[in-house]
Amino acid sequence: MKIGICSDHAGLDYKTRLIAYLLGKGHEVVNFGTDSPESCDYPDYAHPLAEAVRKGEVDAGIALCGTGNGMALTLNHHKGVRACLAWNTEIARLCKEHNDANVLVMPARFVSYRMAVMMVRTWMETKFAGGRHKRRIDKIDID
Ligand code: RB5
């Protein structure tokens, strides 16, 4: 898969390690930053990732900040982007199975790196269930 990834300073360490993990698994990775530990503003990185997902330039995205909320709030402003915040593997599974999340958002300050990797793996391996869940996600976007 071609995965877009972004973080702010709070998610930088996990982002760096996840890029290596994903490349090791044979995926293509597009890094939307930040690449500096200096304090920065999460929308500056979330918006470019969201546009890449929306336009189909990447197959899916991963975003990290301290709580995950700043990234999720920003990403979900983009039509067609379904950014879901997950903090354990069950939620990571359900956000794909039920919500067809095309961006996985994680709270880097509140989960271990090991948990982050397990969530990424679970989310990538899970298939969208469709059916009633398709009807529901079709009602999300408004013009
Ligand atoms: C940065 O301190 C923090 O506010 C940010 O990473 C994120 O948690 C915001 O939602």
Side-chain angles (χ1 to χ4, degrees), residues 10-73:
L12 174 61
D13 176 49
Y14 284 14
K15 176 173 70 77
T16 304
R17 294 155 76 180
L18 283 171
I19 290 171
Y21 168 80
L22 290 165
L23 291 174
K25 294 286 177 192
H27 298 290
E28 192 179 338
V29 180
V30 182
N31 176 14
F32 290 89
T34 182
D35 293 310
S36 161
E38 296 302 315
S39 181
C40 64
D41 302 336
Y42 51 79
D44 295 341
Y45 307 96
H47 285 307
L49 172 63
E51 280 305 287
V53 171
R54 191 182 66 77
K55 293 176 183 164
E57 293 168 359
V58 294
D59 298 314
I62 295 170
L64 302 123
C65 65
T67 62
N69 280 321
M71 286 292 179
L73 285 165

Side-chain angles (χ1 to χ4, degrees), residues 19-127:
I19 290 171
Y21 168 80
L22 290 165
L23 291 174
K25 294 286 177 192
H27 298 290
E28 192 179 338
V29 180
V30 182
N31 176 14
F32 290 89
T34 182
D35 293 310
S36 161
E38 296 302 315
S39 181
C40 64
D41 302 336
Y42 51 79
D44 295 341
Y45 307 96
H47 285 307
L49 172 63
E51 280 305 287
V53 171
R54 191 182 66 77
K55 293 176 183 164
E57 293 168 359
V58 294
D59 298 314
I62 295 170
L64 302 123
C65 65
T67 62
N69 280 321
M71 286 292 179
L73 285 165
T74 311
L75 289 156
N76 282 318
H77 273 276
H78 295 253
K79 193 171 175 145
V81 172
R82 291 177 302 281
C84 288
L85 179 59
W87 55 94
N88 64 39
T89 51
E90 188 69 356
I91 294 171
R93 179 179 70 76
L94 287 168
C95 80
K96 175 66 79 62
E97 195 175 302
H98 288 189
N99 311 113
D100 198 20
N102 50 17
V103 184
L104 177 68
V105 185
M106 294 177 287
R109 286 182 174 152
F110 297 91
V111 295
S112 65
Y113 176 68
R114 184 177 143 77
M115 176 56 72
V117 171
M118 290 194 300
M119 286 193 281
V120 167
R121 200 172 59 209
T122 301
W123 169 71
M124 291 181 75
E125 286 173 355
T126 302
K127 301 274 178 280

